[in-house]
Amino acid sequence: MTARRDVLVVGAGPIGLVAALLLADAGVPTTLVEKETEPGDLPRAISLQDESLRTLDQLGVADALKAESLLDTGSRYFGLGDRLLLEARPVASRLGHPAKTQFDQPVLERLLWDRAVAHDGLEFLRGAEATAITQDDAGVNVTKAVAGETRTLTADWLIGADGGRSLTRRAVGIDLVGTTQPQRWIVVDLLNEPRARDPFAEFHGDGERPYVLVPGIKGRLRIEFMLFDDEDPDAMTASERIRELVVPRFRAELAPGDVRRAVVYVAHQRVARSYRAGRAFLVGDAAHLMPPFAGQGLNAGIRDATNLTWKLIEAIAGGATERLLESYEVERRTHGAAMVRVSRRIGAVVMATHPILTRLRDTVVRTVSLVPRVRELLANMRFIAPPDYTAGVAVECPDVTLDGVTVGRALSQPVVRDTTGAERGLDAHLGRGWALLQIGGPPEAAVDAYWDAIAAKRLCVRAPGDEPADGMVAETTAVLTCGAGSRPVFVAVRPDRYVAAVFDPAHEHRVVERLRGFVDDRRRQTDPSSEITYARPSLDRNTR
């Protein structure tokens, strides 16, 4: 084991594993500390979004996970009398993966865990519990305990992925802001479901006992029931009570082996006051706790890990400014807090039981659905807004636009054809770090030396029908090239596949100078996507 690490990750749940693997794949000396010796086997989160699959694809586990998942699912909302109020159908994703997928968390954790164990560049300390964390200007110290013996690990940076009861969060003095939902829910995960169900998560606000039903594959089915104040959690999770809830309403028979788990939970609506303290950063449930109704908890955590890790890679390479490190909170806390609010509002709609309120809810939903724009917004679940990072690492040039690209948003992933004739998603051609796409104009148009200095992958994207040459790909359907003219337009793509800028040659200097305020090529020591250990960075300030 090395004496000092670049990054320490505390917690090997799915978010900690994603963060550690992204770092290790980039050649960053990383240590992952986890008190358990095997991956989790509880089916907690069950909904995955296209952006999460995009990250998992980068880690090489997306295809195996998809084979165990129900793809392209939608949502249905029912009111009184089980009347359908709203149906959100599966929609085509612009990111190259199913927009919404029902998955099995133990399958995901096993895939990530096994890859972490096999990774030569990742020190994975299993059965090691973090018991204390301190930090100073020089680094972060984590005391771990193994079989009663303690040892202190030192690193330049720390990622706390240690869940809702995060030791990291408490040790660095960050508190949670928000409330706890008063309603309790019982989650029943079933196996051997005998009938095929439509690929929709169902939210039933029947005014009596609201419930949620989520199908999976291979006979998996989740049913969640709201509990009332006078109901005892232990009594409600007893096998005979579970049988009364499930049979005969949801299935004719229920054998003891059909119940995978039954547990009562209380949803929290809380966000960490800060996502960073000095050299320590929070991701996943350590940073935010949200009700499950929008299916955003795990997805928000994967976004956290994807957003943070490329910035730490830049810090280790020496090019990250303090503004880049600060941008993690600017970009992620804003969206995390928004997802907590959306989850709470959806829950309030589903959990209504008062006779007057439930009738009013149904009337309002039916009435507003008569307005075409509102109906489209609800049917496509556009009230769950994707992240917008324009307040972070992004530079807007109002005079330069592309129809298929939006600064601050995730880059679309069209299918493209390369010189061999092979057709794949664009991500396969972008590499691990920055990318600079050229849309239109002569091949290999001259650009500022900044892009080479930050090791940006140069790629020309041509319109459908064009024959790609070296350094080019051609779209099979116009997406990024839609509306492109004869003059070159460039798209600066961040390592997390978000668009940092869209510009033409006349605006390039402005873009470079603005981006240099986040990633300074003059301080960079080498390509941060290569497997090289870098000199240890200084910290401009050590507290939030």
Side-chain angles (χ1 to χ4, degrees):
M1 295 193 298
T2 56
R4 183 184 179 107
R5 292 88 179 153
D6 282 347
V7 183
L8 266 167
V9 180
V10 178
I15 309 307
L17 285 163
V18 167
L21 287 169
L22 287 171
L23 291 165
D25 281 355
V28 173
T30 303
T31 295
L32 177 59
V33 179
E34 170 55 46
K35 67 179 179 179
E36 303 296 337
T37 57
E38 291 293 330
D41 60 356
L42 296 179
R44 294 187 175 95
I46 55 174
S47 184
L48 208 61
Q49 290 186 297
D50 48 4
E51 190 176 345
S52 296
L53 282 169
R54 191 178 203 175
T55 295
L56 296 174
D57 191 36
Q58 183 179 343
L59 295 177
V61 301
D63 287 343
L65 182 62
K66 287 178 181 179
E68 292 282 342
S69 303
L70 184 62
L71 309 179
D72 290 311
T73 61
S75 298
R76 286 172 175 161
Y77 297 86
F78 298 84
L80 296 174
D82 243 11
R83 178 176 178 178
L84 180 64
L85 298 177
L86 174 68
E87 180 175 282
R89 301 176 186 84
V91 296
S93 167
R94 62 183 185 85
L95 302 188
H97 299 277
K100 184 167 171 278
T101 292
Q102 307 305 152
F103 79 110
D104 192 57
Q105 183 167 328
V107 173
L108 172 60
E109 290 200 43
R110 171 56 71 181
L111 289 169
L112 293 171
W113 185 283
D114 288 350
R115 189 165 186 274
V117 170
H119 203 300
D120 292 337
L122 177 60
E123 182 183 38
F124 191 1
L125 304 181
R126 289 152 284 168
E129 182 176 7
T131 58
I133 296 172
T134 61
Q135 66 170 315
D136 54 30
D137 289 346
V140 181
N141 302 306
V142 175
T143 301
K144 69 177 181 69
V146 180
E149 296 184 3
T150 62
R151 183 185 174 196
T152 298
L153 309 174
T154 302
D156 292 323
W157 307 101
L158 173 69
I159 297 177
D162 42 353
R165 299 177 180 177
S166 171
L167 167 68
T168 304
R169 189 182 63 234
R170 289 182 278 114
V172 299
I174 299 175
D175 61 339
L176 287 172
V177 180
T179 61
T180 296
Q181 180 179 287
Q183 295 87 355
R184 299 165 300 162
W185 284 72
I186 179 171
V187 179
V188 182
D189 284 293
L190 301 177
L191 299 173
N192 306 316
E193 171 64 13
R195 57 175 170 149
R197 293 182 177 271
D198 292 342
F200 288 86
E202 298 180 3
F203 299 82
H204 293 261
D206 60 6
E208 297 178 5
R209 186 188 294 277
Y211 68 93
V212 178
L213 187 150
V214 185
I217 67 167
K218 297 185 177 181
R220 301 180 190 123
L221 178 68
R222 169 173 291 185
I223 312 176
E224 303 180 13
F225 303 94
M226 195 176 85
L227 300 189
F228 298 110
D229 293 342
D230 60 345
E231 291 179 320
D232 178 70
D234 293 334
M236 292 299 294
T237 53
S239 57
E240 61 273 14
R241 190 67 181 101
I242 297 299
R243 182 178 179 82
E244 291 174 5
L245 288 169
V246 174
V247 179
R249 186 175 186 181
F250 299 100
R251 57 199 292 180
E253 297 293 337
L254 186 68
D258 292 343
V259 181
R260 190 178 186 184
R261 72 161 185 161
V263 62
V264 171
Y265 75 87
V266 176
H268 299 283
Q269 302 153 165
R270 300 178 184 272
V271 180
R273 193 176 298 277
S274 171
Y275 278 22
R276 177 192 178 195
R279 293 181 173 273
F281 297 81
L282 304 177
V283 296
D285 285 354
H288 43 73
L289 298 170
M290 61 186 71
F293 301 106
Q296 291 297 302
L298 182 132
N299 292 287
I302 292 178
R303 286 188 179 111
D304 295 342
T306 308
N307 187 291
L308 174 60
T309 50
W310 78 263
K311 295 169 183 179
L312 289 183
I313 292 167
E314 289 286 357
I316 292 161
T321 67
E322 181 64 18
R323 284 186 66 198
L324 182 67
L325 298 177
E326 289 292 309
S327 73
Y328 170 62
E329 173 158 329
V330 171
E331 294 180 347
R332 289 304 311 139
R333 190 179 187 279
T334 300
H335 189 257
M339 291 302 96
V340 170
R341 290 192 297 271
V342 169
S343 300
R344 182 177 65 243
R345 289 166 183 166
I346 295 175
V349 171
V350 173
M351 293 185 298
T353 57
H354 192 283
I356 296 176
L357 292 179
T358 51
R359 285 196 296 271
L360 178 62
R361 174 201 63 195
D362 290 7
T363 301
V364 169
V365 172
R366 286 195 296 267
T367 301
V368 299
S369 296
L370 296 175
V371 181
R373 290 186 61 183
V374 175
R375 183 170 62 249
E376 181 184 6
L377 182 147
L378 295 175
N380 293 324
M381 296 190 74
R382 290 180 180 170
F383 51 88
I384 302 179
D388 181 350
Y389 295 159
T390 51
V393 186
V395 182
E396 295 186 275
C397 299
D399 297 332
V400 185
T401 60
L402 284 173
D403 293 345
V405 183
T406 303
V407 174
R409 296 295 182 96
L411 178 74
S412 295
Q413 185 182 189
V415 175
V416 296
R417 188 180 71 257
D418 61 23
T419 55
T420 70
E423 295 183 356
R424 295 183 291 172
L426 178 63
D427 285 2
H429 299 274
L430 296 184
R432 185 180 290 119
W434 285 84
L436 184 66
L437 307 182
Q438 180 185 329
I439 313 294
E444 291 295 317
V447 294
D448 193 282
Y450 176 79
W451 307 108
D452 283 339
I454 66 169
K457 173 76 176 289
R458 289 285 306 275
L459 186 68
C460 290
V461 181
R462 295 306 198 192
D466 288 355
E467 285 302 319
D470 289 343
M472 295 183 188
V473 292
E475 293 185 302
T476 59
T477 301
V479 177
L480 304 181
T481 59
C482 187
S486 59
R487 296 190 61 193
V489 175
F490 299 95
V491 181
V493 184
R494 306 171 358 165
D496 61 356
R497 303 292 183 257
Y498 274 73
V499 177
V502 176
F503 61 94
D504 61 10
H507 292 82
E508 183 179 23
H509 178 73
R510 175 178 180 271
V511 169
V512 167
E513 288 305 307
R514 295 288 184 89
L515 289 181
R516 191 169 275 149
F518 296 101
V519 179
D520 192 338
D521 56 309
R522 298 163 298 190
R523 295 164 49 182
R524 239 168 177 243
Q525 299 175 51
T526 187
D527 176 1
S529 66
S530 65
E531 297 184 0
I532 298 175
T533 301
Y534 311 108
R536 307 200 189 285
S538 61
L539 183 65
D540 295 336
R541 61 187 185 123
N542 89 358
T543 57
R544 280 285 293 156

